[in-house]
Amino acid sequence: PMGLVLLGLAAAGGAVGWFLHAAGIALVVGRAVHPFGIKEGSGVPAMRVVGQALTWLMIAATSVYLLVLAAG
């Protein structure tokens, strides 16, 4: 939900289209890959790590972008 709220705020704030598309793709791919990592066996579930990383990267990048938009 946090990623979707941030995307909505960025769109309402006038973010450029390429950024919205890139952030949206990162969120969807990250959330889609994450469950496959949960099904993996022992060891570090690589797909889960990738999914979490994409999701958090999207949240961080969108947050910074919103701060830059707010600063003017």
Side-chain angles (χ1 to χ4, degrees):
M2 172 83 74
L4 292 176
V5 170
L6 290 172
L7 271 178
L9 289 172
V16 294
W18 67 265
F19 180 82
L20 293 173
H21 284 92
I25 289 169
L27 182 62
V28 169
V29 170
R31 299 315 303 157
V33 168
H34 187 261
F36 294 107
I38 293 174
K39 291 183 178 182
E40 288 181 19
S42 62
V44 177
M47 297 299 276
R48 185 171 182 201
V49 171
V50 169
Q52 288 176 338
L54 281 172
T55 301
W56 282 110
L57 180 65
M58 176 272 174
I59 289 173
T62 306
S63 298
V64 170
Y65 191 86
L66 284 169
L67 289 172
V68 170
L69 281 178

